[in-house]
Amino acid sequence: MEPCASEGAQTEILAGPALDPGTELARCAPLPHEIARMQRCIRELEETMRHHGADWLVQPFGSFANGFGTRGSDLDITISHVSWPSCLDGLFAAGELSWRLQPLLQQHPSFEVVQEIYMAKVPILKLRFENCLEVDISCSNLQALRNTRLLLAYSSMGGLVQDFVMAVKLWAKAFEVCGAASRNLSSYTFTLMAIYFLQVDPEIHLPCIPVGAFEEGGLGAADPRVEAAKKEWAPQEKSFSAMDLFHRFRLFFAEEFGWGSEVVSVRLGRRESAASPEFGLMQHRLAKRIHVEDPYELGRNLHCVLSLEREAFLRTTFSTPLGAWTPSVPDLDEDQHHGGAGDSLSQELAAAKGPGTALGPASAASTASSDGDGVESSGSGAQRPGRWSEKLQEAETDGVEVTSLSRGRCWWKHLGVAGVQNAVSQVLEMASVEKAAAAKDGKAEDPPPSAKPPGPKVRPLRPTAKARAPRRRPRHRGCVQ
């Protein structure tokens, strides 16, 4: 079995200001044995799904499939059936993953079920393949497939675009401004920002590929407009270097971009105000924040996972010289550096249940994916579990929005039967931990059995008035007896 890629390799490459695209960026590309492992994983999943019939599809998406992947990237896969509609309910998708796919994978020697995230808008089953490759499986995630095909069309325009986008992603990870788990923009969002810069720069002018070519029923890469865009860009391929574009990218978002008034729109490929009718469906478009449009879900603003503090830090990072920067962020807590708040929560719950007891993946709080847009709660120091709904983690694959369950009233619609049972058990566990923690701090004590718990004040009822005889209606004077 091939060794896993080093986790710190990417950070070391962009730690200094100098970077040769011919050598250093080539080292950041996925290694041949990593690509071979991902291909084996896809074949194993296809063989597994054949137990349920020959009409099942196993399709990769995300950075591995769109051509902008880097060394050590995880693998995102969606399964679907040829008879399914284009849009599935989250409850149905969670059921398919839990009772159709998960039992088979638990018996497979090459797969390990790491976590079940069935409460999200897009349910995810997190796996580990050959003890090395992290795999996120969703069900009928067709929107992510459209986004992947669109980005693949841009990456296939030439090596210059690939190297430039890779440099942007590595810079964002090295300087810790990327990753929705720490309330930053996702890697997918940085990819859109890089392509948008190439489109609107007057000296570069990357052609805009129509997003409709990759809609359902579209021609995809065979669309004549896509072929024309590639031919138009071909002469520009040797006019710039990847690092020239990278430095211009940082300068654009530091000084030229209309932060709070302009929208990053790969769909349009031109600079437009957030107040334009083109963005009439976008949420929070008038807020004084960065706006990034999803090319297919027009109502979605990709800044939804970005906190105000991290946005201010991002703006500062764009204008910070590379050579004078130390790659460390003091306002990130230790939980986010070592697995996130979900890990500390799992440890506290395991300690409350007793020694030797481990929480299963379904009962532990859901952690955000490494490249997704899920939001992770942040704080300082050791975290104490609060309300259980605030600890249920959002999960998102590359390019797909996830809605927090604590913000909606119908959160139970996204759970299967097993998910509801896990959620109920999680509520009881968190309540016991909160109670034990409060008693330890002396903030709350159990009342003695004989004490009567205080209840709400009830106004006594007024005594019922005696029944009176009906008042006799007087006769009119002019009436005849």
Side-chain angles (χ1 to χ4, degrees):
M1 184 179 298
E2 298 87 349
C4 295
S6 174
E7 297 180 357
Q10 299 175 359
T11 304
E12 296 176 359
I13 289 174
L14 281 184
L19 186 140
D20 181 16
T23 56
E24 301 297 336
L25 287 178
R27 289 171 49 198
C28 297
L31 299 176
H33 72 266
E34 290 183 307
I35 299 176
R37 181 183 290 114
M38 292 183 179
Q39 293 173 346
R40 287 199 306 270
C41 178
I42 296 174
R43 289 195 298 267
E44 293 291 342
L45 288 174
E46 290 174 344
E47 291 291 336
T48 302
M49 294 309 298
R50 287 196 183 99
H51 287 82
H52 296 293
D55 296 332
W56 288 88
L57 302 176
V58 177
Q59 298 172 286
F61 64 95
S63 59
F64 168 72
N66 63 26
F68 294 123
T70 57
R71 184 185 304 181
S73 299
D74 58 356
L75 179 61
D76 299 311
I77 290 178
T78 184
I79 62 171
S80 59
H81 195 270
V82 294
S83 63
W84 284 355
S86 58
C87 182
L88 285 182
D89 181 72
L91 178 61
F92 179 83
E96 290 293 320
L97 291 176
S98 61
W99 73 268
R100 189 186 298 274
L101 182 61
Q102 183 176 345
L104 296 176
L105 294 178
Q106 288 176 335
Q107 301 175 1
H108 200 287
S110 300
F111 288 98
E112 175 188 358
V113 177
V114 177
Q115 193 174 19
E116 310 157 13
I117 309 178
Y118 295 153
M119 309 81 122
K121 179 181 177 182
V122 179
I124 297 294
L125 181 62
K126 299 181 75 67
L127 308 172
R128 185 175 292 113
F129 179 69
E130 295 181 352
N131 294 325
C132 185
L133 177 62
E134 301 294 331
V135 184
D136 294 344
I137 299 184
S138 59
C139 189
S140 190
N141 197 351
L142 301 183
Q143 170 150 353
L145 294 177
R146 292 182 302 184
N147 295 338
T148 298
R149 291 163 185 163
L150 175 64
L151 296 183
L152 179 61
Y154 279 106
S155 67
S156 62
M157 298 184 76
L160 178 61
V161 178
Q162 287 184 339
D163 291 342
F164 163 65
V165 174
M166 186 183 300
V168 170
K169 294 174 64 175
L170 292 175
W171 164 80
K173 292 178 181 179
F175 290 91
E176 301 183 355
V177 293
C178 175
S182 52
R183 307 201 68 175
N184 292 309
L185 294 177
S186 67
S187 176
Y188 168 70
T189 305
F190 274 101
T191 302
L192 295 179
M193 293 170 63
I195 295 175
Y196 174 75
F197 157 73
L198 295 178
Q199 292 173 334
V200 301
D201 189 282
E203 298 183 15
I204 303 173
H205 192 62
L206 179 71
C208 181
I209 295 178
V211 298
F214 303 95
E215 291 277 7
E216 186 176 359
L219 298 178
D223 192 296
R225 298 172 294 177
V226 178
E227 296 293 337
K230 293 181 180 180
K231 293 180 180 179
E232 182 182 353
W233 171 252
Q236 300 282 345
E237 183 70 17
K238 298 182 180 181
S239 301
F240 304 92
S241 67
M243 289 311 298
D244 290 339
L245 298 181
F246 170 69
H247 293 303
R248 293 167 68 102
F249 165 80
R250 295 179 64 246
L251 183 64
F252 171 77
F253 279 98
E255 299 180 1
E256 300 180 23
F257 180 72
W259 209 283
S261 60
E262 184 177 348
V263 177
V264 175
S265 176
V266 173
R267 173 179 62 94
L268 298 179
R270 63 178 185 270
R271 303 185 70 173
E272 287 284 349
S273 171
S276 172
E278 293 282 356
F279 309 113
L281 299 177
M282 177 178 286
Q283 298 178 352
H284 312 295
R285 62 191 179 109
L286 300 181
K288 296 301 180 182
R289 305 191 62 189
I290 186 173
H291 304 294
V292 183
E293 178 195 51
D294 187 280
Y296 290 101
E297 194 173 350
L298 303 184
R300 181 185 177 203
N301 198 329
L302 294 178
H303 76 202
C304 58
V305 300
L306 181 64
S307 66
L308 294 176
E309 295 79 7
R310 303 306 299 167
E311 182 173 4
F313 178 75
L314 174 62
R315 296 191 66 176
T316 304
T317 307
F318 270 117
S319 57
T320 300
L322 294 178
W325 180 257
T326 302
S328 62
V329 184
D331 59 342
L332 283 179
D333 52 25
E334 292 298 324
D335 286 339
Q336 293 176 348
H337 282 289
H338 302 284
D343 293 341
S344 62
L345 176 61
S346 302
Q347 295 171 3
E348 292 189 37
L349 291 180
K353 294 179 68 176
T357 304
L359 290 177
S363 59
S366 303
T367 55
S369 60
S370 61
D371 211 32
D373 288 352
V375 178
E376 184 173 0
S377 57
S378 60
S380 59
Q383 292 190 350
R384 179 172 298 162
R387 293 182 57 86
W388 75 277
S389 59
E390 297 174 355
K391 295 298 181 182
L392 289 178
Q393 189 61 45
E394 300 176 359
E396 180 183 47
T397 53
D398 210 4
V400 180
E401 184 181 12
V402 176
T403 304
S404 175
L405 302 178
S406 61
R407 300 174 188 170
R409 298 181 180 179
C410 298
W411 57 270
W412 49 269
K413 289 185 178 181
H414 301 291
L415 300 178
V417 175
V420 172
Q421 296 175 350
N422 292 331
V424 172
S425 62
Q426 190 175 2
V427 172
L428 298 177
E429 290 172 347
M430 287 192 174
S432 62
V433 173
E434 288 180 342
K435 184 177 180 180
K440 183 178 179 180
D441 295 342
K443 297 181 179 179
E445 296 182 357
D446 293 335
S450 60
K452 184 178 181 181
K457 296 182 179 180
V458 181
R459 177 181 295 180
L461 298 177
R462 295 182 178 180
T464 306
K466 295 183 179 180
R468 298 180 180 178
R471 188 173 182 180
R472 190 173 182 180
R473 186 177 180 182
R475 292 178 297 179
H476 197 270
R477 291 184 178 180
C479 294
V480 178
Q481 297 293 337

